[in-house]
Amino acid sequence: MTQWRPDPARLRRPAYLSLADQFARAIADGQLPSGTKLRPHRDLAYELGLSVQTVSRAYNDLIRRGLIAGKVGSGSFVLPPAGDSNPPYIADRSSEVIDLSILKPVSDDHHIALMRDGLHWVAENLSASSALSFRPSSVLPHHRHVAAGWLKRSGIEVAPDNIVITDGATSAITTAVMSAVPCGATLAAPALTHHLLMPLCKYLGLHLEGLACDSDGILPDSLDIAAEKGLVRAVYTQPTAINPRANVTSLARRRDIVDIARRHDLFIVENDILGDVVVGAPTPYAMLAPERVFHIRGFTKVALPGLRLAYLSAPERAAAVAANRHLVTSWMATPLMVELLSHWIEDGTLPGLVAWQREALQRRHTLAQAILAGLDFSAHPQGLHVWLNLPEGVDEDQFVAQARVHGVAIASGQAFRVNDHQRRNAVRIALGTKREDDLQRGLGLVRDLLRSSPEPLLPLL
């Protein structure tokens, strides 16, 4: 907890506003850095000789300004600066809140049992190279062949040496973007995109260009116009249900994007982490343009969260670059987990998990369709979420705050926007919470809150 304290001698009427201003200046000056936990209302009120109500009003004013956030059961914390991208999910899960803010697969007790059995298998069959070697070339050759076989099931032909095994999709995305776009250049992406792409580009010194989209994905003209400027080196896509609006880009649109990428010699980063679970998905970009596509298949979202691995297949001309970028950021994926993944692919456990997940998600979507009937939303029956458009005049951040107060956490659409071009207020609702009755109750709370035309939150007096 910080040593900085408000100065009671500088308080002016109204005291709550003067107190909030002191906090705001301390935050701006760096005396209260991001993540700092503020003193409890009652303790600060006693120290300053103020009422608890006055301190509560000051904290609520800081929440309204976007400077702090309150977490039930945890206290109040300083938020990152406005220039940083806030995560769409709640940082701390409370038993009082139904958490529909973070994308995760459906899971139950049999997943825990499978993981325990799998780890027992790893312990009994652990190779010396997985336990002792520091060199990816000593550990991963067999596993790259397994990966190539898994990708071939989807029609993706890739040489094992062109596959980088990573600790999850985020590592794969980072490696692909670093490989495709040099520092100072531009990455193009849908205006609604992966929430981590904005901070990633900021940290790597890249410009991120938001592209106009429709229900079929990126508008080809928008990419063409951006590429004509000469600075775009790659385009990032999430074409199969994992994008915020849960759309699946048609084969015709994918071919249009490939034509533009070839004309301007752009790389394509294809985040296809739901490709294994979505039925009847069009041909992946990696099959349409293997010479320029970095393709990502992950296992966290289609199997179980603990299987934090992904396959990144790189085009032949960039395979060595991708391997080097991964070496300097992660060195190699965790060998023990790679052993487990390969074992589960070879013995049929992983295909079974994917099939189970597909059926579970279809049941969740049937439930969501019934509860949210009449509302404006988009979804895919094997997707992980619902994208709910809010009625005119309903502010998404205020709606998310209202939902949180009523006991359900959802994600504001702001976390996924590259810019506010053609902004439409919306929220993302994840469907993978463990208990189906929690999901039913959470969706009902969102529906009822939307139908009740909630007023903005007022400060507590």
Side-chain angles (χ1 to χ4, degrees):
M1 191 170 292
T2 179
Q3 297 299 310
W4 180 87
R5 294 286 188 273
D7 183 357
R10 296 175 57 192
L11 293 175
R12 301 290 183 269
R13 291 182 179 276
Y16 85 91
L17 190 56
S18 178
L19 178 59
D21 287 341
Q22 283 198 46
F23 272 101
R25 283 191 294 271
I27 292 170
D29 293 342
Q31 297 179 75
L32 289 173
S34 172
T36 299
K37 184 176 181 179
L38 303 186
R39 291 173 60 77
H41 298 208
R42 189 171 301 278
D43 292 353
L44 185 60
Y46 177 80
E47 181 179 309
L48 298 176
L50 299 172
S51 69
V52 174
Q53 291 84 354
T54 296
V55 173
S56 295
R57 290 189 68 185
Y59 278 22
N60 282 328
D61 189 69
L62 292 168
I63 291 172
R64 181 188 60 78
R65 301 187 202 185
L67 298 177
I68 70 170
K71 301 172 185 176
V72 175
S74 300
S76 299
F77 296 81
V78 177
L79 289 173
D84 287 352
S85 177
N86 292 326
Y89 50 85
I90 59 174
D92 297 319
R93 181 167 182 168
S94 166
S95 59
E96 302 172 14
V97 175
I98 300 170
D99 186 3
L100 306 183
S101 70
I102 187 168
L103 290 191
K104 52 191 172 184
V106 183
S107 58
D108 63 14
D109 291 341
H110 98 276
H111 289 87
I112 299 174
L114 277 174
M115 180 61 86
R116 287 172 176 159
D117 290 344
L119 293 176
H120 280 301
W121 180 90
V122 170
E124 293 170 357
N125 295 274
L126 183 63
S127 66
S129 63
S130 289
L132 303 176
S133 179
F134 280 97
R135 298 181 181 276
S137 58
S138 301
V139 180
L140 300 176
H142 166 70
H143 303 297
R144 290 195 184 104
H145 279 85
V146 174
W150 179 259
L151 293 171
K152 191 173 182 178
R153 293 161 50 105
S154 301
I156 300 171
E157 298 278 356
V158 56
D161 287 345
N162 294 352
I163 297 172
V164 179
I165 304 176
T166 70
D167 282 327
T170 300
S171 177
I173 293 168
T174 300
T175 300
V177 170
M178 290 179 67
S179 303
V181 189
C183 184
T186 297
L187 174 67
L192 283 172
T193 191
H194 194 295
H195 69 93
L196 291 181
L197 203 60
M198 285 77 82
L200 175 62
C201 287
K202 176 183 175 182
Y203 303 152
L204 294 178
L206 308 179
H207 174 66
L208 184 61
E209 179 85 9
L211 302 175
C213 300
D214 60 12
S215 60
D216 201 14
I218 296 169
L219 288 171
D221 285 348
S222 180
L223 176 59
D224 200 22
I225 291 169
E228 286 287 352
K229 300 174 184 177
L231 296 177
V232 175
R233 300 296 294 273
V235 56
Y236 174 88
T237 66
Q238 295 174 284
T240 308
I242 193 61
N243 55 79
R245 289 194 278 194
N247 298 328
V248 174
T249 300
S250 69
L251 179 58
R253 178 63 61 84
R254 296 182 193 213
R255 284 175 170 156
D256 289 342
I257 297 300
V258 165
D259 288 344
I260 294 168
R262 283 182 170 143
R263 187 171 354 119
H264 295 283
D265 194 22
L266 308 179
F267 283 114
I268 298 173
V269 177
E270 181 179 22
N271 182 347
D272 195 26
I273 61 172
L274 290 187
D276 290 316
V277 79
V278 172
V279 174
T283 305
Y285 281 106
M287 291 175 62
L288 298 175
E291 81 284 357
R292 65 187 61 253
V293 175
F294 292 88
H295 181 268
I296 299 164
R297 284 285 171 109
F299 300 95
T300 304
K301 300 292 198 294
V302 301
L304 73 164
L307 199 62
R308 187 152 296 280
L309 294 164
Y311 293 153
L312 168 62
S313 54
E316 179 71 34
R317 58 177 164 146
V321 175
N324 287 339
R325 299 302 182 272
H326 187 249
L327 278 173
V328 299
T329 55
S330 303
W331 191 254
M332 67 175 170
T334 306
L336 301 187
M337 295 309 299
V338 179
E339 291 274 8
L340 177 58
L341 173 59
S342 295
H343 171 60
W344 276 358
I345 289 175
E346 293 176 322
D347 78 351
T349 298
L350 187 66
L353 283 168
V354 171
W356 187 96
Q357 190 65 217
R358 185 182 298 120
E359 294 175 3
L361 287 170
Q362 288 175 326
R363 290 194 301 272
R364 296 294 177 99
H365 278 281
T366 299
L367 182 66
Q369 291 279 348
I371 295 174
L372 302 178
L375 300 179
D376 180 12
F377 67 92
S378 57
H380 187 278
Q382 290 99 40
L384 294 170
H385 70 282
V386 166
W387 184 255
L388 177 63
N389 292 309
L390 301 177
E392 191 72 28
V394 177
D395 178 79
E396 60 191 25
D397 291 328
Q398 189 66 230
F399 185 74
V400 168
Q402 285 278 1
R404 185 73 168 77
V405 168
H406 285 77
V408 58
I410 54 179
S412 170
Q414 183 59 36
F416 309 96
R417 290 193 189 92
V418 176
N419 51 48
D420 278 346
H421 179 61
Q422 296 179 328
R423 172 172 175 155
R424 171 76 187 277
N425 279 349
V427 294
R428 189 191 71 180
I429 306 172
L431 303 181
T433 187
K434 185 174 180 181
R435 291 164 52 93
E436 197 165 298
D437 58 342
D438 280 346
L439 175 63
Q440 184 171 0
R441 189 158 58 91
L443 290 172
L445 287 168
V446 171
R447 175 202 60 202
D448 295 344
L449 186 61
L450 200 56
R451 289 177 177 174
S452 69
S453 301
E455 294 184 359
L457 291 171
L458 296 177
L460 297 174
L461 300 177

Coordinates of all heavy atoms in Angstrom, one line a residue, residues 28 89 119 135 154 175 217 237 363:
A28 N -2.0 11.2 -11.6 CA -1.4 11.8 -12.8 C 0.1 12.0 -12.5 O 0.9 11.8 -13.5 CB -2.1 13.1 -13.1
Y89 N -12.0 -8.7 -19.1 CA -12.4 -9.6 -18.1 C -12.2 -9.0 -16.7 O -11.4 -8.1 -16.6 CB -11.7 -10.9 -18.2 CG -10.2 -10.8 -18.3 CD1 -9.4 -10.7 -17.1 CD2 -9.6 -10.8 -19.5 CE1 -8.1 -10.5 -17.2 CE2 -8.2 -10.6 -19.6 CZ -7.5 -10.5 -18.4 OH -6.1 -10.4 -18.5
L119 N -1.3 -36.3 -16.5 CA 0.0 -36.0 -15.9 C 0.7 -37.2 -15.3 O 1.9 -37.3 -15.2 CB -0.3 -34.9 -14.8 CG -0.7 -33.5 -15.3 CD1 -1.0 -32.6 -14.1 CD2 0.4 -32.9 -16.2
R135 N 17.6 -27.5 -25.5 CA 17.5 -27.2 -27.0 C 16.2 -27.7 -27.6 O 15.9 -28.9 -27.5 CB 18.7 -27.9 -27.7 CG 20.0 -27.4 -27.2 CD 21.2 -28.1 -28.0 NE 22.5 -27.6 -27.5 CZ 23.1 -26.5 -27.9 NH1 22.5 -25.7 -28.8 NH2 24.2 -26.1 -27.4
S154 N -7.3 -30.9 -41.0 CA -8.1 -29.7 -41.5 C -7.7 -29.4 -42.9 O -8.1 -28.3 -43.4 CB -7.9 -28.5 -40.6 OG -8.3 -28.8 -39.3
T175 N 4.6 -14.0 -31.6 CA 5.7 -14.5 -32.5 C 5.3 -14.2 -34.0 O 6.2 -13.7 -34.7 CB 5.9 -16.0 -32.3 OG1 6.3 -16.3 -31.0 CG2 7.0 -16.6 -33.3
G217 N -16.8 -10.1 -42.3 CA -15.4 -9.9 -42.0 C -14.9 -8.6 -42.6 O -15.6 -7.7 -42.9
T237 N -6.2 -11.6 -38.9 CA -7.6 -12.0 -39.0 C -8.0 -13.0 -38.0 O -7.2 -13.8 -37.4 CB -7.8 -12.7 -40.4 OG1 -7.0 -13.9 -40.5 CG2 -7.3 -11.8 -41.5
R363 N -25.2 -26.7 -26.8 CA -26.2 -26.7 -25.8 C -26.3 -25.3 -25.1 O -27.3 -24.8 -24.9 CB -26.0 -27.7 -24.7 CG -26.2 -29.2 -25.1 CD -26.2 -30.1 -24.0 NE -25.0 -30.1 -23.1 CZ -24.0 -30.9 -23.4 NH1 -24.0 -31.7 -24.4 NH2 -22.9 -30.8 -22.6

